[in-house]
Amino acid sequence: MEEQYILEMVDISKSFPGVQALKGAGIKVRKGSVHALMGENGAGKSTLMKILGGLQPADSGKIILKGQEVSFSSPSESLKNKISMIHQELTSIPHMTVAENIYLGREPLAGKVFVKDSDQNARATELLQGLGIQIDPKIKMVRLSIAQMQLIEIAKAISYNSEIIIMDEPTSAITEREVEHLYTMIRNLTKKGVAVIYISHKLNEIFNIADEVTVMRDGEYVNTKKIEELTRQDIISMMVGRELTHMFPKVEVEIGEPVLEVKNLTRAGKFNNISFTLHKGEILGLAGLMGAGRTEVMESLFGLVPANSGEVLIKGKPVNIKSASDAKKNGLAFITEDRKLTGLFLPHSVKDNIIAASLDRFVVGGIFMNEKSVNGICEDQKKLLRIKTPTIEQKVKNLSGGNQQKVLLAKWLLTDADIIILDEPTRGIDVGAKSEIHALMGELVKTGKSVIMISSELPEILGMSDRIIVMHEGKLTGEVSRQDATQDVLMSFATGTI
Amino acid sequence: MSEVAVKPNNDLSKSVKAFLTKYSIYFILVLLVAILTFLSPAFLKPVNLINIVRQISLIAIVGFGVTMIIITTGIDLSSGSVIAVAGIVASKFAHPDTYPLAVALILGLGVGLLAGAINGFFVSIVKLPAFIATLGMMLSFRGVGYILSEGHPITNFTKEYDFIGSGYWLGLPLMIYILFGAAVLSYVILRHTKTGKCIYAIGGNQQAAVVSGINVKKNLMFVYSYAGMMSALAGIMLSSRLSSGQPTAGLTYEMDAISSAVIGGTSLSGGIGTIQGTLIGALIIGVLNNGMDLMHINAYYQQVVKGSIIVLAVILDKARNR
Ligand SMILES: Nc1ncnc2c1ncn2[C@@H]1O[C@H](COP(=O)(O)OP(=O)(O)OP(=O)(O)O)[C@@H](O)[C@H]1O
Ligand SMILES: [Mg+2]
């Protein structure tokens, strides 16, 4: 029965200074199947996959590929063995073209030296067309949105013609429509016998695409089951080791007077005539597909990129926000969707990241930092959000993806902003922590703050929002109250079919 | 609620603006040439122009290697010292009736290659910051220069060796041909070879390069070695031009080379830069120096102007890359 698995990872252990990331973890994957790998943030999923991808060596354990024991000391070895990987962090090179990014390290060559650019572009065009991705391979990566970059990374992983493709949270940056597209691509791959290891925190996706599920907890193997034998509750309790009852703990709060009014905000080429109002104690959901311009509106509102026209009133008074510090002074906080680019200082400690936006609060006598209160508050935040890190002195780049997101949240929650803009706040966050963040949003509005939440996950929008506005191609296409909102209504607004 | 008035020529003015920003350094060069032609009639004479190109050929050649290094997010401070040592080594083997020209050239270039490889070793394998590794090389190689030459200039060369720096072919100095050759070679490496793509990739996002299976160490070794060899080439040319190998040769050339690259649009944060840009950057420096000399501007003021131009060029470049 051994040969039925194309890949077996057995009893893998790995430790980092201060952290045992894996202890006896493993996974067994069948040819032509989609194998979901699940676990809380920091469970060790990415680490296990990095070992398979040749990025990190295991301390102990065995990898058996098609019956042969192997070990990879570099990504190129793993690629040669027909294993490719979509990394949890986007790994694109901004100032190179799409085609150059896709064929990086294996460019079509003339005479072993010269890169045949036109060949490369033609190949990329063919690849992207075959996958139904409409992106010109000759444009530079910086010109793409995050979601488009993610699609390119998917295309790149597929282009290796691998037998095993690891997808570490491939849908973290794309919306429902592109997810459907990804499913199609995955099904085409498995038909050809390719095995896909699929990591995601979104249970919907798992039930849509996976054949088998392996669950990990705290670096250990928990169980592997066929998807038919599982319910959502089963997976969740295997992951967290306890029951989790309500997913969207909506707190009923009295909605007060308007705190933010946006009138006819326009930025050429990005969005047009956006008007909406946010009230005290309200969670306003902002739904839409990728590229609808939701993030762009918030960027202009927050003063990062100026709008061409329009008016913004905060608590009834017109304001002119030209920079992030203006925005902060006016009581706004913005938790960005791209934590690497605009949110976190990766080489700095968890502590320094958490306090970065509220330094004034910890200064004594205008000069010195009050280390004691810094440490106290950071420890509180760590506990509150269950940030998995050995100490608050740990560098953020060493945390798992989901825990990085939590640090970002902690940072903004510490500021005493009244209006909090959350752009995809639970992207990459496990189910347990997700419901805690949702609960925290409830706490925020209970204390009289207001929240704007951009999310591409419709269940989250539906579950948490008091009111929902929807954007499509730079325009506001709909507004629905909590009672009237359904998945279908939102989708038709989001696709512009109403 | 003011509506944005849509101007009919909006697109045109936008693309003109895009064009201007894209080629901003070319325009700076053209502008400088125009101003200097206006201010000093001697400027546009062919003799003077040829002179400028010959003058900048050394910093441009060094600049090509440095450009590649900066693209990988590194830096090279050792170029000036390598120029001196390579010049001295080649000079020692260039006396009449001793060795054939090839020996002098191969040994001179070989020293540069060695220095570059040592830089590359410390940067890619020992993982020292490039600033530190090449600073060490800069100091110690300057010392090596004094040791090898015993502090004296080395003179008395074969005719062939002299020809490198002062010879003419088809009416142009040989140095200009060498500059041209080095430019084409560097351009082709960076733009059309796999190594070139790897260099951009390493500078753009090293992690991405690693996961794509690129051998980062090997490529860094190449880049530093190549830059060392380019400096050595400049060192040989300089010693021939001066008719002597000197331990003080090439002082502060590394700064001019780095400036050329940066003026030419190479980003110190890596991933961006071109050979043609560096060439233009070097020309801008050369034209400025020459023009100010022609106008008899006091050397102290010249430095102020040069410093300001570098800062200005980078400000422009920031606007370009936004
Ligand atoms: N380079 C590193 N140095 C130190 N600790 C690390 C390093 N890489 C990972 N870890 C730790 O190992 C553990 C497992 O991390 P891993 O990234 O595998 O989690 P994950 O299951 O992928 O989580 P997520 O769902 O948040 O992506 C975490 O506690 C993390 O902090
Ligand atoms: Mg992970």
Side-chain angles (χ1 to χ4, degrees), chain A residues 91-92 95 100 105 113-115 117 156 311, chain B residues 1 188 191-194 197 205 208 210 212 272:
Chain A
T91 54
S92 47
H95 288 279
E100 284 171 336
V113 181
F114 300 103
V115 176
D117 277 320
K156 176 174 175 175
E311 221 185 338
Chain B
M1 319 288 101
V188 170
R191 184 70 193 77
H192 290 295
T193 68
K194 179 166 174 167
K197 305 278 178 194
N205 182 345
V210 170
S212 302
I272 304 176

mmCIF file with all atom_site columns, all heavy atoms in Angstrom, chain A residues 91-92 95 100 105 113-115 117 156 311, chain B residues 1 188 191-194 197 205 208 210 212 272:
data_model
loop_
_atom_site.group_PDB
_atom_site.id
_atom_site.type_symbol
_atom_site.label_atom_id
_atom_site.label_alt_id
_atom_site.label_comp_id
_atom_site.label_asym_id
_atom_site.label_entity_id
_atom_site.label_seq_id
_atom_site.pdbx_PDB_ins_code
_atom_site.Cartn_x
_atom_site.Cartn_y
_atom_site.Cartn_z
_atom_site.occupancy
_atom_site.B_iso_or_equiv
_atom_site.pdbx_formal_charge
_atom_site.auth_seq_id
_atom_site.auth_comp_id
_atom_site.auth_asym_id
_atom_site.auth_atom_id
_atom_site.pdbx_PDB_model_num
ATOM 1   N N   . THR A 1 91  ? 6.213   36.695 -3.578  1.00 0.00 ? 91  THR A N   1
ATOM 2   C CA  . THR A 1 91  ? 7.638   36.732 -3.862  1.00 0.00 ? 91  THR A CA  1
ATOM 3   C C   . THR A 1 91  ? 7.872   37.264 -5.269  1.00 0.00 ? 91  THR A C   1
ATOM 4   O O   . THR A 1 91  ? 8.516   36.625 -6.079  1.00 0.00 ? 91  THR A O   1
ATOM 5   C CB  . THR A 1 91  ? 8.266   35.337 -3.758  1.00 0.00 ? 91  THR A CB  1
ATOM 6   O OG1 . THR A 1 91  ? 7.513   34.472 -4.604  1.00 0.00 ? 91  THR A OG1 1
ATOM 7   C CG2 . THR A 1 91  ? 8.261   34.815 -2.360  1.00 0.00 ? 91  THR A CG2 1
ATOM 8   N N   . SER A 1 92  ? 7.326   38.449 -5.542  1.00 0.00 ? 92  SER A N   1
ATOM 9   C CA  . SER A 1 92  ? 7.533   38.969 -6.883  1.00 0.00 ? 92  SER A CA  1
ATOM 10  C C   . SER A 1 92  ? 8.596   40.055 -6.860  1.00 0.00 ? 92  SER A C   1
ATOM 11  O O   . SER A 1 92  ? 8.850   40.663 -5.836  1.00 0.00 ? 92  SER A O   1
ATOM 12  C CB  . SER A 1 92  ? 6.225   39.511 -7.446  1.00 0.00 ? 92  SER A CB  1
ATOM 13  O OG  . SER A 1 92  ? 5.601   40.313 -6.487  1.00 0.00 ? 92  SER A OG  1
ATOM 14  N N   . HIS A 1 95  ? 10.424  45.443 -10.160 1.00 0.00 ? 95  HIS A N   1
ATOM 15  C CA  . HIS A 1 95  ? 10.801  46.156 -11.379 1.00 0.00 ? 95  HIS A CA  1
ATOM 16  C C   . HIS A 1 95  ? 11.166  45.235 -12.537 1.00 0.00 ? 95  HIS A C   1
ATOM 17  O O   . HIS A 1 95  ? 11.835  45.640 -13.475 1.00 0.00 ? 95  HIS A O   1
ATOM 18  C CB  . HIS A 1 95  ? 11.922  47.155 -11.093 1.00 0.00 ? 95  HIS A CB  1
ATOM 19  C CG  . HIS A 1 95  ? 11.421  48.322 -10.312 1.00 0.00 ? 95  HIS A CG  1
ATOM 20  N ND1 . HIS A 1 95  ? 10.777  49.380 -10.889 1.00 0.00 ? 95  HIS A ND1 1
ATOM 21  C CD2 . HIS A 1 95  ? 11.405  48.563 -8.974  1.00 0.00 ? 95  HIS A CD2 1
ATOM 22  C CE1 . HIS A 1 95  ? 10.408  50.236 -9.966  1.00 0.00 ? 95  HIS A CE1 1
ATOM 23  N NE2 . HIS A 1 95  ? 10.774  49.767 -8.785  1.00 0.00 ? 95  HIS A NE2 1
ATOM 24  N N   . GLU A 1 100 ? 9.370   37.959 -17.029 1.00 0.00 ? 100 GLU A N   1
ATOM 25  C CA  . GLU A 1 100 ? 10.658  37.736 -16.374 1.00 0.00 ? 100 GLU A CA  1
ATOM 26  C C   . GLU A 1 100 ? 10.473  37.112 -14.996 1.00 0.00 ? 100 GLU A C   1
ATOM 27  O O   . GLU A 1 100 ? 11.241  36.256 -14.572 1.00 0.00 ? 100 GLU A O   1
ATOM 28  C CB  . GLU A 1 100 ? 11.423  39.065 -16.236 1.00 0.00 ? 100 GLU A CB  1
ATOM 29  C CG  . GLU A 1 100 ? 12.043  39.536 -17.544 1.00 0.00 ? 100 GLU A CG  1
ATOM 30  C CD  . GLU A 1 100 ? 12.606  40.953 -17.454 1.00 0.00 ? 100 GLU A CD  1
ATOM 31  O OE1 . GLU A 1 100 ? 12.161  41.734 -16.587 1.00 0.00 ? 100 GLU A OE1 1
ATOM 32  O OE2 . GLU A 1 100 ? 13.468  41.280 -18.255 1.00 0.00 ? 100 GLU A OE2 1
ATOM 33  N N   . GLY A 1 105 ? 15.163  32.380 -13.419 1.00 0.00 ? 105 GLY A N   1
ATOM 34  C CA  . GLY A 1 105 ? 16.007  31.236 -13.104 1.00 0.00 ? 105 GLY A CA  1
ATOM 35  C C   . GLY A 1 105 ? 15.921  30.120 -14.126 1.00 0.00 ? 105 GLY A C   1
ATOM 36  O O   . GLY A 1 105 ? 16.624  29.131 -14.024 1.00 0.00 ? 105 GLY A O   1
ATOM 37  N N   . VAL A 1 113 ? 23.540  31.368 -22.890 1.00 0.00 ? 113 VAL A N   1
ATOM 38  C CA  . VAL A 1 113 ? 23.874  32.610 -22.200 1.00 0.00 ? 113 VAL A CA  1
ATOM 39  C C   . VAL A 1 113 ? 22.801  33.675 -22.391 1.00 0.00 ? 113 VAL A C   1
ATOM 40  O O   . VAL A 1 113 ? 22.349  34.288 -21.437 1.00 0.00 ? 113 VAL A O   1
ATOM 41  C CB  . VAL A 1 113 ? 25.211  33.167 -22.722 1.00 0.00 ? 113 VAL A CB  1
ATOM 42  C CG1 . VAL A 1 113 ? 25.567  34.448 -21.999 1.00 0.00 ? 113 VAL A CG1 1
ATOM 43  C CG2 . VAL A 1 113 ? 26.323  32.135 -22.552 1.00 0.00 ? 113 VAL A CG2 1
ATOM 44  N N   . PHE A 1 114 ? 22.397  33.866 -23.645 1.00 0.00 ? 114 PHE A N   1
ATOM 45  C CA  . PHE A 1 114 ? 21.534  35.002 -23.938 1.00 0.00 ? 114 PHE A CA  1
ATOM 46  C C   . PHE A 1 114 ? 20.064  34.646 -23.751 1.00 0.00 ? 114 PHE A C   1
ATOM 47  O O   . PHE A 1 114 ? 19.593  33.612 -24.199 1.00 0.00 ? 114 PHE A O   1
ATOM 48  C CB  . PHE A 1 114 ? 21.784  35.487 -25.357 1.00 0.00 ? 114 PHE A CB  1
ATOM 49  C CG  . PHE A 1 114 ? 23.209  35.914 -25.554 1.00 0.00 ? 114 PHE A CG  1
ATOM 50  C CD1 . PHE A 1 114 ? 24.101  35.094 -26.228 1.00 0.00 ? 114 PHE A CD1 1
ATOM 51  C CD2 . PHE A 1 114 ? 23.665  37.107 -25.016 1.00 0.00 ? 114 PHE A CD2 1
ATOM 52  C CE1 . PHE A 1 114 ? 25.424  35.475 -26.385 1.00 0.00 ? 114 PHE A CE1 1
ATOM 53  C CE2 . PHE A 1 114 ? 24.982  37.489 -25.162 1.00 0.00 ? 114 PHE A CE2 1
ATOM 54  C CZ  . PHE A 1 114 ? 25.872  36.670 -25.842 1.00 0.00 ? 114 PHE A CZ  1
ATOM 55  N N   . VAL A 1 115 ? 19.364  35.553 -23.074 1.00 0.00 ? 115 VAL A N   1
ATOM 56  C CA  . VAL A 1 115 ? 17.952  35.321 -22.835 1.00 0.00 ? 115 VAL A CA  1
ATOM 57  C C   . VAL A 1 115 ? 17.160  35.733 -24.066 1.00 0.00 ? 115 VAL A C   1
ATOM 58  O O   . VAL A 1 115 ? 17.338  36.829 -24.593 1.00 0.00 ? 115 VAL A O   1
ATOM 59  C CB  . VAL A 1 115 ? 17.471  36.131 -21.618 1.00 0.00 ? 115 VAL A CB  1
ATOM 60  C CG1 . VAL A 1 115 ? 15.982  35.962 -21.431 1.00 0.00 ? 115 VAL A CG1 1
ATOM 61  C CG2 . VAL A 1 115 ? 18.233  35.687 -20.380 1.00 0.00 ? 115 VAL A CG2 1
ATOM 62  N N   . ASP A 1 117 ? 14.209  37.109 -25.028 1.00 0.00 ? 117 ASP A N   1
ATOM 63  C CA  . ASP A 1 117 ? 13.075  37.834 -24.460 1.00 0.00 ? 117 ASP A CA  1
ATOM 64  C C   . ASP A 1 117 ? 11.772  37.576 -25.197 1.00 0.00 ? 117 ASP A C   1
ATOM 65  O O   . ASP A 1 117 ? 10.731  37.380 -24.591 1.00 0.00 ? 117 ASP A O   1
ATOM 66  C CB  . ASP A 1 117 ? 13.360  39.343 -24.462 1.00 0.00 ? 117 ASP A CB  1
ATOM 67  C CG  . ASP A 1 117 ? 14.191  39.744 -23.254 1.00 0.00 ? 117 ASP A CG  1
ATOM 68  O OD1 . ASP A 1 117 ? 13.914  39.210 -22.168 1.00 0.00 ? 117 ASP A OD1 1
ATOM 69  O OD2 . ASP A 1 117 ? 15.101  40.573 -23.402 1.00 0.00 ? 117 ASP A OD2 1
ATOM 70  N N   . LYS A 1 156 ? 2.932   31.046 -12.182 1.00 0.00 ? 156 LYS A N   1
ATOM 71  C CA  . LYS A 1 156 ? 4.345   30.670 -12.148 1.00 0.00 ? 156 LYS A CA  1
ATOM 72  C C   . LYS A 1 156 ? 4.506   29.260 -11.583 1.00 0.00 ? 156 LYS A C   1
ATOM 73  O O   . LYS A 1 156 ? 5.214   28.429 -12.165 1.00 0.00 ? 156 LYS A O   1
ATOM 74  C CB  . LYS A 1 156 ? 5.112   31.680 -11.302 1.00 0.00 ? 156 LYS A CB  1
ATOM 75  C CG  . LYS A 1 156 ? 6.573   31.337 -11.127 1.00 0.00 ? 156 LYS A CG  1
ATOM 76  C CD  . LYS A 1 156 ? 7.325   32.445 -10.412 1.00 0.00 ? 156 LYS A CD  1
ATOM 77  C CE  . LYS A 1 156 ? 8.754   32.013 -10.142 1.00 0.00 ? 156 LYS A CE  1
ATOM 78  N NZ  . LYS A 1 156 ? 9.569   33.073 -9.555  1.00 0.00 ? 156 LYS A NZ  1
ATOM 79  N N   . GLU A 1 311 ? -15.472 65.842 -0.769  1.00 0.00 ? 311 GLU A N   1
ATOM 80  C CA  . GLU A 1 311 ? -15.471 66.477 0.534   1.00 0.00 ? 311 GLU A CA  1
ATOM 81  C C   . GLU A 1 311 ? -15.532 65.422 1.623   1.00 0.00 ? 311 GLU A C   1
ATOM 82  O O   . GLU A 1 311 ? -16.182 64.396 1.455   1.00 0.00 ? 311 GLU A O   1
ATOM 83  C CB  . GLU A 1 311 ? -16.722 67.352 0.632   1.00 0.00 ? 311 GLU A CB  1
ATOM 84  C CG  . GLU A 1 311 ? -16.482 68.675 1.277   1.00 0.00 ? 311 GLU A CG  1
ATOM 85  C CD  . GLU A 1 311 ? -17.801 69.418 1.453   1.00 0.00 ? 311 GLU A CD  1
ATOM 86  O OE1 . GLU A 1 311 ? -18.779 69.117 0.727   1.00 0.00 ? 311 GLU A OE1 1
ATOM 87  O OE2 . GLU A 1 311 ? -17.859 70.261 2.337   1.00 0.00 ? 311 GLU A OE2 1
ATOM 88  N N   . MET B 2 1   ? -17.972 70.994 -4.653  1.00 0.00 ? 1   MET B N   1
ATOM 89  C CA  . MET B 2 1   ? -18.235 69.873 -5.573  1.00 0.00 ? 1   MET B CA  1
ATOM 90  C C   . MET B 2 1   ? -17.722 70.194 -6.955  1.00 0.00 ? 1   MET B C   1
ATOM 91  O O   . MET B 2 1   ? -18.424 70.105 -7.934  1.00 0.00 ? 1   MET B O   1
ATOM 92  C CB  . MET B 2 1   ? -19.735 69.571 -5.713  1.00 0.00 ? 1   MET B CB  1
ATOM 93  C CG  . MET B 2 1   ? -20.583 69.614 -4.467  1.00 0.00 ? 1   MET B CG  1
ATOM 94  S SD  . MET B 2 1   ? -20.295 68.241 -3.357  1.00 0.00 ? 1   MET B SD  1
ATOM 95  C CE  . MET B 2 1   ? -19.272 69.001 -2.147  1.00 0.00 ? 1   MET B CE  1
ATOM 96  N N   . VAL B 2 188 ? 25.140  44.119 -22.658 1.00 0.00 ? 188 VAL B N   1
ATOM 97  C CA  . VAL B 2 188 ? 24.635  42.818 -23.096 1.00 0.00 ? 188 VAL B CA  1
ATOM 98  C C   . VAL B 2 188 ? 24.489  41.870 -21.898 1.00 0.00 ? 188 VAL B C   1
ATOM 99  O O   . VAL B 2 188 ? 23.477  41.185 -21.751 1.00 0.00 ? 188 VAL B O   1
ATOM 100 C CB  . VAL B 2 188 ? 25.551  42.210 -24.177 1.00 0.00 ? 188 VAL B CB  1
ATOM 101 C CG1 . VAL B 2 188 ? 25.178  40.760 -24.456 1.00 0.00 ? 188 VAL B CG1 1
ATOM 102 C CG2 . VAL B 2 188 ? 25.456  43.029 -25.454 1.00 0.00 ? 188 VAL B CG2 1
ATOM 103 N N   . ARG B 2 191 ? 21.460  43.140 -19.816 1.00 0.00 ? 191 ARG B N   1
ATOM 104 C CA  . ARG B 2 191 ? 20.160  43.205 -20.461 1.00 0.00 ? 191 ARG B CA  1
ATOM 105 C C   . ARG B 2 191 ? 19.768  41.882 -21.125 1.00 0.00 ? 191 ARG B C   1
ATOM 106 O O   . ARG B 2 191 ? 18.598  41.547 -21.180 1.00 0.00 ? 191 ARG B O   1
ATOM 107 C CB  . ARG B 2 191 ? 20.207  44.334 -21.505 1.00 0.00 ? 191 ARG B CB  1
ATOM 108 C CG  . ARG B 2 191 ? 18.937  44.634 -22.230 1.00 0.00 ? 191 ARG B CG  1
ATOM 109 C CD  . ARG B 2 191 ? 17.916  45.278 -21.317 1.00 0.00 ? 191 ARG B CD  1
ATOM 110 N NE  . ARG B 2 191 ? 16.601  45.283 -21.952 1.00 0.00 ? 191 ARG B NE  1
ATOM 111 C CZ  . ARG B 2 191 ? 15.824  44.210 -22.031 1.00 0.00 ? 191 ARG B CZ  1
ATOM 112 N NH1 . ARG B 2 191 ? 16.219  43.072 -21.504 1.00 0.00 ? 191 ARG B NH1 1
ATOM 113 N NH2 . ARG B 2 191 ? 14.659  44.271 -22.636 1.00 0.00 ? 191 ARG B NH2 1
ATOM 114 N N   . HIS B 2 192 ? 20.749  41.145 -21.608 1.00 0.00 ? 192 HIS B N   1
ATOM 115 C CA  . HIS B 2 192 ? 20.379  40.018 -22.470 1.00 0.00 ? 192 HIS B CA  1
ATOM 116 C C   . HIS B 2 192 ? 20.819  38.655 -21.985 1.00 0.00 ? 192 HIS B C   1
ATOM 117 O O   . HIS B 2 192 ? 20.649  37.669 -22.696 1.00 0.00 ? 192 HIS B O   1
ATOM 118 C CB  . HIS B 2 192 ? 20.909  40.245 -23.888 1.00 0.00 ? 192 HIS B CB  1
ATOM 119 C CG  . HIS B 2 192 ? 20.196  41.346 -24.605 1.00 0.00 ? 192 HIS B CG  1
ATOM 120 N ND1 . HIS B 2 192 ? 18.867  41.266 -24.946 1.00 0.00 ? 192 HIS B ND1 1
ATOM 121 C CD2 . HIS B 2 192 ? 20.609  42.573 -25.009 1.00 0.00 ? 192 HIS B CD2 1
ATOM 122 C CE1 . HIS B 2 192 ? 18.492  42.386 -25.550 1.00 0.00 ? 192 HIS B CE1 1
ATOM 123 N NE2 . HIS B 2 192 ? 19.533  43.197 -25.584 1.00 0.00 ? 192 HIS B NE2 1
ATOM 124 N N   . THR B 2 193 ? 21.431  38.568 -20.817 1.00 0.00 ? 193 THR B N   1
ATOM 125 C CA  . THR B 2 193 ? 21.843  37.237 -20.392 1.00 0.00 ? 193 THR B CA  1
ATOM 126 C C   . THR B 2 193 ? 21.087  36.820 -19.139 1.00 0.00 ? 193 THR B C   1
ATOM 127 O O   . THR B 2 193 ? 20.490  37.632 -18.443 1.00 0.00 ? 193 THR B O   1
ATOM 128 C CB  . THR B 2 193 ? 23.349  37.176 -20.050 1.00 0.00 ? 193 THR B CB  1
ATOM 129 O OG1 . THR B 2 193 ? 23.576  37.958 -18.881 1.00 0.00 ? 193 THR B OG1 1
ATOM 130 C CG2 . THR B 2 193 ? 24.197  37.699 -21.190 1.00 0.00 ? 193 THR B CG2 1
ATOM 131 N N   . LYS B 2 194 ? 21.163  35.547 -18.887 1.00 0.00 ? 194 LYS B N   1
ATOM 132 C CA  . LYS B 2 194 ? 20.539  34.986 -17.700 1.00 0.00 ? 194 LYS B CA  1
ATOM 133 C C   . LYS B 2 194 ? 21.149  35.614 -16.446 1.00 0.00 ? 194 LYS B C   1
ATOM 134 O O   . LYS B 2 194 ? 20.441  35.952 -15.500 1.00 0.00 ? 194 LYS B O   1
ATOM 135 C CB  . LYS B 2 194 ? 20.765  33.477 -17.693 1.00 0.00 ? 194 LYS B CB  1
ATOM 136 C CG  . LYS B 2 194 ? 20.167  32.825 -16.490 1.00 0.00 ? 194 LYS B CG  1
ATOM 137 C CD  . LYS B 2 194 ? 20.087  31.336 -16.650 1.00 0.00 ? 194 LYS B CD  1
ATOM 138 C CE  . LYS B 2 194 ? 19.600  30.768 -15.325 1.00 0.00 ? 194 LYS B CE  1
ATOM 139 N NZ  . LYS B 2 194 ? 19.188  29.417 -15.388 1.00 0.00 ? 194 LYS B NZ  1
ATOM 140 N N   . LYS B 2 197 ? 19.498  38.871 -15.704 1.00 0.00 ? 197 LYS B N   1
ATOM 141 C CA  . LYS B 2 197 ? 18.178  38.735 -15.065 1.00 0.00 ? 197 LYS B CA  1
ATOM 142 C C   . LYS B 2 197 ? 18.354  38.397 -13.590 1.00 0.00 ? 197 LYS B C   1
ATOM 143 O O   . LYS B 2 197 ? 17.603  38.866 -12.733 1.00 0.00 ? 197 LYS B O   1
ATOM 144 C CB  . LYS B 2 197 ? 17.351  37.637 -15.732 1.00 0.00 ? 197 LYS B CB  1
ATOM 145 C CG  . LYS B 2 197 ? 17.186  37.796 -17.219 1.00 0.00 ? 197 LYS B CG  1
ATOM 146 C CD  . LYS B 2 197 ? 16.082  38.762 -17.590 1.00 0.00 ? 197 LYS B CD  1
ATOM 147 C CE  . LYS B 2 197 ? 16.020  38.914 -19.097 1.00 0.00 ? 197 LYS B CE  1
ATOM 148 N NZ  . LYS B 2 197 ? 15.243  40.034 -19.559 1.00 0.00 ? 197 LYS B NZ  1
ATOM 149 N N   . ASN B 2 205 ? 14.331  41.457 -5.100  1.00 0.00 ? 205 ASN B N   1
ATOM 150 C CA  . ASN B 2 205 ? 13.722  40.723 -4.002  1.00 0.00 ? 205 ASN B CA  1
ATOM 151 C C   . ASN B 2 205 ? 14.523  39.437 -3.833  1.00 0.00 ? 205 ASN B C   1
ATOM 152 O O   . ASN B 2 205 ? 14.287  38.447 -4.510  1.00 0.00 ? 205 ASN B O   1
ATOM 153 C CB  . ASN B 2 205 ? 12.252  40.427 -4.328  1.00 0.00 ? 205 ASN B CB  1
ATOM 154 C CG  . ASN B 2 205 ? 11.542  39.707 -3.205  1.00 0.00 ? 205 ASN B CG  1
ATOM 155 O OD1 . ASN B 2 205 ? 12.168  39.166 -2.290  1.00 0.00 ? 205 ASN B OD1 1
ATOM 156 N ND2 . ASN B 2 205 ? 10.222  39.676 -3.265  1.00 0.00 ? 205 ASN B ND2 1
ATOM 157 N N   . ALA B 2 208 ? 12.722  36.208 -3.310  1.00 0.00 ? 208 ALA B N   1
ATOM 158 C CA  . ALA B 2 208 ? 12.084  35.698 -4.521  1.00 0.00 ? 208 ALA B CA  1
ATOM 159 C C   . ALA B 2 208 ? 13.108  35.006 -5.411  1.00 0.00 ? 208 ALA B C   1
ATOM 160 O O   . ALA B 2 208 ? 12.820  33.979 -6.026  1.00 0.00 ? 208 ALA B O   1
ATOM 161 C CB  . ALA B 2 208 ? 11.412  36.839 -5.276  1.00 0.00 ? 208 ALA B CB  1
ATOM 162 N N   . VAL B 2 210 ? 15.808  33.496 -4.419  1.00 0.00 ? 210 VAL B N   1
ATOM 163 C CA  . VAL B 2 210 ? 16.138  32.215 -3.795  1.00 0.00 ? 210 VAL B CA  1
ATOM 164 C C   . VAL B 2 210 ? 15.071  31.173 -4.083  1.00 0.00 ? 210 VAL B C   1
ATOM 165 O O   . VAL B 2 210 ? 15.378  30.062 -4.515  1.00 0.00 ? 210 VAL B O   1
ATOM 166 C CB  . VAL B 2 210 ? 16.312  32.384 -2.264  1.00 0.00 ? 210 VAL B CB  1
ATOM 167 C CG1 . VAL B 2 210 ? 16.413  31.026 -1.589  1.00 0.00 ? 210 VAL B CG1 1
ATOM 168 C CG2 . VAL B 2 210 ? 17.538  33.219 -1.959  1.00 0.00 ? 210 VAL B CG2 1
ATOM 169 N N   . SER B 2 212 ? 13.108  30.988 -6.460  1.00 0.00 ? 212 SER B N   1
ATOM 170 C CA  . SER B 2 212 ? 13.044  30.615 -7.869  1.00 0.00 ? 212 SER B CA  1
ATOM 171 C C   . SER B 2 212 ? 14.222  29.746 -8.269  1.00 0.00 ? 212 SER B C   1
ATOM 172 O O   . SER B 2 212 ? 14.417  29.472 -9.443  1.00 0.00 ? 212 SER B O   1
ATOM 173 C CB  . SER B 2 212 ? 13.018  31.862 -8.752  1.00 0.00 ? 212 SER B CB  1
ATOM 174 O OG  . SER B 2 212 ? 11.925  32.661 -8.406  1.00 0.00 ? 212 SER B OG  1
ATOM 175 N N   . ILE B 2 272 ? 17.101  48.294 -9.683  1.00 0.00 ? 272 ILE B N   1
ATOM 176 C CA  . ILE B 2 272 ? 16.894  49.237 -10.783 1.00 0.00 ? 272 ILE B CA  1
ATOM 177 C C   . ILE B 2 272 ? 18.224  49.831 -11.220 1.00 0.00 ? 272 ILE B C   1
ATOM 178 O O   . ILE B 2 272 ? 19.038  50.183 -10.368 1.00 0.00 ? 272 ILE B O   1
ATOM 179 C CB  . ILE B 2 272 ? 15.974  50.392 -10.348 1.00 0.00 ? 272 ILE B CB  1
ATOM 180 C CG1 . ILE B 2 272 ? 14.639  49.852 -9.814  1.00 0.00 ? 272 ILE B CG1 1
ATOM 181 C CG2 . ILE B 2 272 ? 15.705  51.347 -11.500 1.00 0.00 ? 272 ILE B CG2 1
ATOM 182 C CD1 . ILE B 2 272 ? 13.735  50.921 -9.272  1.00 0.00 ? 272 ILE B CD1 1
#
